[in-house]
Short mmCIF file of all heavy atoms in Angstrom, two decimals:
data_model
loop_
_atom_site.label_atom_id
_atom_site.label_comp_id
_atom_site.label_asym_id
_atom_site.label_seq_id
_atom_site.Cartn_x
_atom_site.Cartn_y
_atom_site.Cartn_z
N SER F 481 -12.57 6.47 22.53
CA SER F 481 -13.86 5.89 22.88
C SER F 481 -13.79 4.36 22.87
O SER F 481 -14.26 3.70 23.78
CB SER F 481 -14.94 6.37 21.89
OG SER F 481 -14.57 6.05 20.56
N GLU F 482 -13.21 3.81 21.82
CA GLU F 482 -13.01 2.37 21.73
C GLU F 482 -11.83 2.12 20.80
O GLU F 482 -11.76 2.69 19.72
CB GLU F 482 -14.26 1.67 21.19
CG GLU F 482 -14.12 0.15 21.12
CD GLU F 482 -15.41 -0.53 20.73
OE1 GLU F 482 -16.49 0.05 20.99
OE2 GLU F 482 -15.35 -1.64 20.19
N SER F 483 -10.90 1.30 21.24
CA SER F 483 -9.68 1.11 20.47
C SER F 483 -9.94 0.30 19.21
O SER F 483 -10.99 -0.33 19.05
CB SER F 483 -8.62 0.41 21.32
OG SER F 483 -8.82 -0.98 21.33
N LEU F 484 -8.97 0.32 18.33
CA LEU F 484 -9.02 -0.45 17.10
C LEU F 484 -9.20 -1.93 17.37
O LEU F 484 -9.75 -2.67 16.55
CB LEU F 484 -7.73 -0.23 16.32
CG LEU F 484 -7.54 -0.97 15.00
CD1 LEU F 484 -8.44 -0.37 13.95
CD2 LEU F 484 -6.10 -0.92 14.56
N PHE F 485 -8.79 -2.39 18.53
CA PHE F 485 -8.79 -3.81 18.84
C PHE F 485 -10.01 -4.23 19.65
O PHE F 485 -10.06 -5.33 20.18
CB PHE F 485 -7.51 -4.16 19.60
CG PHE F 485 -6.28 -3.68 18.90
CD1 PHE F 485 -5.62 -2.55 19.32
CD2 PHE F 485 -5.80 -4.34 17.78
CE1 PHE F 485 -4.49 -2.09 18.66
CE2 PHE F 485 -4.69 -3.89 17.11
CZ PHE F 485 -4.03 -2.77 17.55
N GLY F 486 -10.99 -3.35 19.72
CA GLY F 486 -12.22 -3.71 20.41
C GLY F 486 -12.20 -3.26 21.86
O GLY F 486 -11.20 -2.79 22.39
N LYS F 487 -13.32 -3.45 22.52
CA LYS F 487 -13.46 -3.04 23.91
C LYS F 487 -13.27 -4.23 24.82
O LYS F 487 -13.85 -5.29 24.60
CB LYS F 487 -14.84 -2.43 24.13
CG LYS F 487 -15.00 -1.73 25.48
CD LYS F 487 -16.35 -1.05 25.56
CE LYS F 487 -16.50 -0.30 26.87
NZ LYS F 487 -17.81 0.39 26.96
N VAL F 488 -12.43 -4.09 25.82
CA VAL F 488 -12.13 -5.18 26.73
C VAL F 488 -12.47 -4.73 28.14
O VAL F 488 -12.09 -3.65 28.57
CB VAL F 488 -10.64 -5.58 26.65
CG1 VAL F 488 -10.33 -6.66 27.66
CG2 VAL F 488 -10.30 -6.06 25.25
N ASP F 489 -13.20 -5.59 28.87
CA ASP F 489 -13.49 -5.33 30.26
C ASP F 489 -12.38 -5.93 31.11
O ASP F 489 -12.34 -7.14 31.35
CB ASP F 489 -14.84 -5.96 30.65
CG ASP F 489 -15.29 -5.54 32.05
OD1 ASP F 489 -14.49 -4.89 32.76
OD2 ASP F 489 -16.43 -5.87 32.44
N ASN F 490 -11.47 -5.09 31.57
CA ASN F 490 -10.31 -5.58 32.29
C ASN F 490 -10.67 -6.19 33.63
O ASN F 490 -9.90 -6.98 34.18
CB ASN F 490 -9.29 -4.46 32.49
CG ASN F 490 -8.57 -4.10 31.20
OD1 ASN F 490 -7.65 -4.79 30.78
ND2 ASN F 490 -9.01 -3.02 30.55
N ASP F 491 -11.84 -5.85 34.16
CA ASP F 491 -12.25 -6.42 35.44
C ASP F 491 -12.58 -7.90 35.32
O ASP F 491 -12.57 -8.63 36.31
CB ASP F 491 -13.47 -5.65 35.98
CG ASP F 491 -13.13 -4.21 36.33
OD1 ASP F 491 -11.95 -3.95 36.66
OD2 ASP F 491 -14.03 -3.35 36.26
N GLU F 492 -12.92 -8.36 34.12
CA GLU F 492 -13.29 -9.75 33.91
C GLU F 492 -12.10 -10.62 33.50
O GLU F 492 -12.24 -11.83 33.34
CB GLU F 492 -14.38 -9.85 32.84
CG GLU F 492 -15.69 -9.19 33.25
CD GLU F 492 -16.77 -9.35 32.19
OE1 GLU F 492 -16.46 -9.96 31.14
OE2 GLU F 492 -17.89 -8.89 32.42
N ILE F 493 -10.94 -10.04 33.30
CA ILE F 493 -9.78 -10.79 32.86
C ILE F 493 -9.19 -11.56 34.04
O ILE F 493 -8.94 -11.00 35.11
CB ILE F 493 -8.71 -9.86 32.26
CG1 ILE F 493 -9.23 -9.23 30.97
CG2 ILE F 493 -7.42 -10.62 31.98
CD1 ILE F 493 -8.31 -8.21 30.37
N ARG F 494 -9.00 -12.84 33.82
CA ARG F 494 -8.40 -13.68 34.84
C ARG F 494 -7.05 -14.19 34.34
O ARG F 494 -6.88 -14.46 33.16
CB ARG F 494 -9.31 -14.87 35.17
CG ARG F 494 -10.68 -14.46 35.73
CD ARG F 494 -11.55 -15.68 35.97
NE ARG F 494 -12.86 -15.30 36.47
CZ ARG F 494 -13.84 -16.19 36.74
NH1 ARG F 494 -13.63 -17.47 36.52
NH2 ARG F 494 -15.01 -15.76 37.19
N ASN F 495 -6.13 -14.34 35.27
CA ASN F 495 -4.81 -14.89 34.94
C ASN F 495 -4.15 -14.12 33.80
O ASN F 495 -3.78 -14.71 32.77
CB ASN F 495 -4.95 -16.37 34.57
CG ASN F 495 -3.59 -17.05 34.43
OD1 ASN F 495 -2.61 -16.65 35.06
ND2 ASN F 495 -3.53 -18.06 33.57
N PRO F 496 -3.98 -12.80 33.95
CA PRO F 496 -3.31 -12.04 32.88
C PRO F 496 -1.84 -12.45 32.78
O PRO F 496 -1.25 -12.94 33.74
CB PRO F 496 -3.45 -10.59 33.35
CG PRO F 496 -3.56 -10.69 34.83
CD PRO F 496 -4.31 -11.96 35.11
N PRO F 497 -1.24 -12.27 31.62
CA PRO F 497 0.17 -12.63 31.45
C PRO F 497 1.08 -11.70 32.23
O PRO F 497 0.69 -10.60 32.63
CB PRO F 497 0.39 -12.48 29.95
CG PRO F 497 -0.62 -11.46 29.52
CD PRO F 497 -1.81 -11.70 30.39
N THR F 498 2.29 -12.15 32.45
CA THR F 498 3.28 -11.30 33.12
C THR F 498 3.81 -10.24 32.17
O THR F 498 3.66 -10.35 30.95
CB THR F 498 4.46 -12.14 33.63
OG1 THR F 498 5.14 -12.71 32.50
CG2 THR F 498 3.98 -13.26 34.54
N VAL F 499 4.43 -9.23 32.73
CA VAL F 499 5.02 -8.17 31.91
C VAL F 499 6.08 -8.75 30.98
O VAL F 499 6.17 -8.38 29.80
CB VAL F 499 5.64 -7.08 32.81
CG1 VAL F 499 6.42 -6.08 31.97
CG2 VAL F 499 4.56 -6.37 33.60
N GLY F 500 6.88 -9.69 31.48
CA GLY F 500 7.90 -10.30 30.66
C GLY F 500 7.33 -11.04 29.47
O GLY F 500 7.89 -10.99 28.36
N THR F 501 6.20 -11.71 29.67
CA THR F 501 5.56 -12.43 28.57
C THR F 501 5.07 -11.47 27.50
O THR F 501 5.25 -11.70 26.30
CB THR F 501 4.38 -13.27 29.09
OG1 THR F 501 4.85 -14.22 30.07
CG2 THR F 501 3.69 -14.02 27.97
N VAL F 502 4.46 -10.38 27.92
CA VAL F 502 3.95 -9.39 26.96
C VAL F 502 5.11 -8.78 26.17
O VAL F 502 5.04 -8.64 24.94
CB VAL F 502 3.16 -8.29 27.69
CG1 VAL F 502 2.66 -7.25 26.69
CG2 VAL F 502 1.98 -8.89 28.45
N ILE F 503 6.16 -8.41 26.87
CA ILE F 503 7.32 -7.82 26.18
C ILE F 503 7.90 -8.82 25.19
O ILE F 503 8.28 -8.45 24.07
CB ILE F 503 8.38 -7.39 27.20
CG1 ILE F 503 7.85 -6.21 28.05
CG2 ILE F 503 9.68 -6.99 26.51
CD1 ILE F 503 8.78 -5.78 29.15
N ALA F 504 7.94 -10.09 25.58
CA ALA F 504 8.47 -11.11 24.67
C ALA F 504 7.61 -11.22 23.41
O ALA F 504 8.13 -11.38 22.30
CB ALA F 504 8.54 -12.46 25.38
N MET F 505 6.29 -11.12 23.56
CA MET F 505 5.39 -11.20 22.41
C MET F 505 5.59 -10.01 21.47
O MET F 505 5.48 -10.14 20.25
CB MET F 505 3.94 -11.26 22.88
CG MET F 505 3.52 -12.57 23.52
SD MET F 505 3.66 -13.97 22.38
CE MET F 505 5.29 -14.59 22.80
N LEU F 506 5.86 -8.84 22.04
CA LEU F 506 6.09 -7.66 21.21
C LEU F 506 7.48 -7.67 20.59
O LEU F 506 7.68 -7.11 19.50
CB LEU F 506 5.90 -6.40 22.05
CG LEU F 506 4.49 -6.16 22.61
CD1 LEU F 506 4.47 -4.89 23.46
CD2 LEU F 506 3.47 -6.05 21.50
N LEU F 507 8.43 -8.29 21.27
CA LEU F 507 9.79 -8.33 20.74
C LEU F 507 9.97 -9.40 19.67
O LEU F 507 10.89 -9.29 18.84
CB LEU F 507 10.80 -8.59 21.87
CG LEU F 507 11.07 -7.44 22.83
CD1 LEU F 507 12.08 -7.86 23.89
CD2 LEU F 507 11.58 -6.21 22.08
N LEU F 508 9.12 -10.42 19.66
CA LEU F 508 9.28 -11.51 18.68
C LEU F 508 9.25 -11.00 17.25
O LEU F 508 10.18 -11.29 16.47
CB LEU F 508 8.21 -12.57 18.91
CG LEU F 508 8.22 -13.75 17.93
CD1 LEU F 508 9.58 -14.44 17.92
CD2 LEU F 508 7.10 -14.74 18.25
N PRO F 509 8.21 -10.24 16.81
CA PRO F 509 8.26 -9.72 15.44
C PRO F 509 9.41 -8.76 15.23
O PRO F 509 9.98 -8.68 14.14
CB PRO F 509 6.91 -9.01 15.28
CG PRO F 509 6.45 -8.68 16.66
CD PRO F 509 6.97 -9.83 17.50
N LEU F 510 9.78 -8.04 16.29
CA LEU F 510 10.90 -7.10 16.20
C LEU F 510 12.19 -7.83 15.86
O LEU F 510 12.95 -7.43 14.98
CB LEU F 510 11.03 -6.35 17.52
CG LEU F 510 12.02 -5.18 17.56
CD1 LEU F 510 11.48 -4.00 16.79
CD2 LEU F 510 12.29 -4.79 19.01
N VAL F 511 12.44 -8.94 16.56
CA VAL F 511 13.68 -9.71 16.34
C VAL F 511 13.68 -10.32 14.94
O VAL F 511 14.70 -10.29 14.24
CB VAL F 511 13.81 -10.81 17.41
CG1 VAL F 511 14.95 -11.75 17.09
CG2 VAL F 511 14.02 -10.19 18.79
N LEU F 512 12.54 -10.87 14.52
CA LEU F 512 12.47 -11.49 13.20
C LEU F 512 12.69 -10.46 12.08
O LEU F 512 13.41 -10.71 11.11
CB LEU F 512 11.12 -12.19 13.02
CG LEU F 512 10.90 -13.44 13.88
CD1 LEU F 512 9.45 -13.90 13.78
CD2 LEU F 512 11.84 -14.55 13.47
N ILE F 513 12.05 -9.30 12.23
CA ILE F 513 12.19 -8.26 11.21
C ILE F 513 13.61 -7.68 11.24
O ILE F 513 14.17 -7.34 10.19
CB ILE F 513 11.13 -7.16 11.41
CG1 ILE F 513 9.74 -7.74 11.14
CG2 ILE F 513 11.38 -5.97 10.49
CD1 ILE F 513 8.60 -6.82 11.54
N PHE F 514 14.18 -7.58 12.42
CA PHE F 514 15.56 -7.10 12.52
C PHE F 514 16.51 -8.03 11.77
O PHE F 514 17.48 -7.56 11.16
CB PHE F 514 15.98 -7.01 13.98
CG PHE F 514 17.38 -6.49 14.17
CD1 PHE F 514 17.64 -5.15 14.02
CD2 PHE F 514 18.43 -7.35 14.47
CE1 PHE F 514 18.94 -4.66 14.17
CE2 PHE F 514 19.72 -6.87 14.63
CZ PHE F 514 19.97 -5.53 14.48
N MET F 515 16.21 -9.33 11.79
CA MET F 515 17.02 -10.28 11.03
C MET F 515 16.97 -9.95 9.53
O MET F 515 17.99 -9.96 8.84
CB MET F 515 16.51 -11.71 11.26
CG MET F 515 17.25 -12.78 10.48
SD MET F 515 16.69 -14.44 10.92
CE MET F 515 14.96 -14.36 10.41
N ASN F 516 15.78 -9.61 9.05
CA ASN F 516 15.62 -9.29 7.64
C ASN F 516 16.34 -7.99 7.28
O ASN F 516 17.10 -7.92 6.31
CB ASN F 516 14.14 -9.19 7.29
CG ASN F 516 13.88 -8.81 5.85
OD1 ASN F 516 13.92 -7.64 5.50
ND2 ASN F 516 13.61 -9.80 5.02
N THR F 517 16.09 -6.95 8.05
CA THR F 517 16.69 -5.66 7.74
C THR F 517 18.20 -5.70 7.97
O THR F 517 18.96 -5.02 7.27
CB THR F 517 16.06 -4.54 8.59
OG1 THR F 517 16.08 -4.92 9.97
CG2 THR F 517 14.63 -4.28 8.18
N GLY F 518 18.65 -6.49 8.95
CA GLY F 518 20.07 -6.64 9.16
C GLY F 518 20.75 -7.31 7.98
O GLY F 518 21.85 -6.92 7.57
N LEU F 519 20.08 -8.31 7.42
CA LEU F 519 20.62 -8.98 6.23
C LEU F 519 20.70 -8.01 5.05
O LEU F 519 21.67 -8.03 4.28
CB LEU F 519 19.74 -10.19 5.86
CG LEU F 519 19.86 -11.42 6.78
CD1 LEU F 519 18.79 -12.44 6.42
CD2 LEU F 519 21.25 -12.04 6.68
N ASP F 520 19.68 -7.16 4.91
CA ASP F 520 19.70 -6.19 3.82
C ASP F 520 20.83 -5.19 4.02
O ASP F 520 21.46 -4.74 3.05
CB ASP F 520 18.35 -5.48 3.75
CG ASP F 520 18.20 -4.67 2.47
OD1 ASP F 520 18.35 -5.25 1.38
OD2 ASP F 520 17.96 -3.45 2.55
#
Side-chain angles (χ1 to χ4, degrees):
S481 56
E482 182 173 334
S483 82
L484 178 72
F485 308 102
K487 191 174 182 179
V488 177
D489 188 352
N490 287 281
D491 294 332
E492 296 182 359
I493 294 175
R494 299 178 181 178
N495 189 28
T498 64
V499 172
T501 300
V502 178
I503 293 176
M505 288 299 95
L506 296 178
L507 287 180
L508 178 57
L510 188 73
V511 171
L512 291 171
I513 293 170
F514 181 76
M515 178 175 62
N516 178 278
T517 51
L519 287 171
D520 192 55

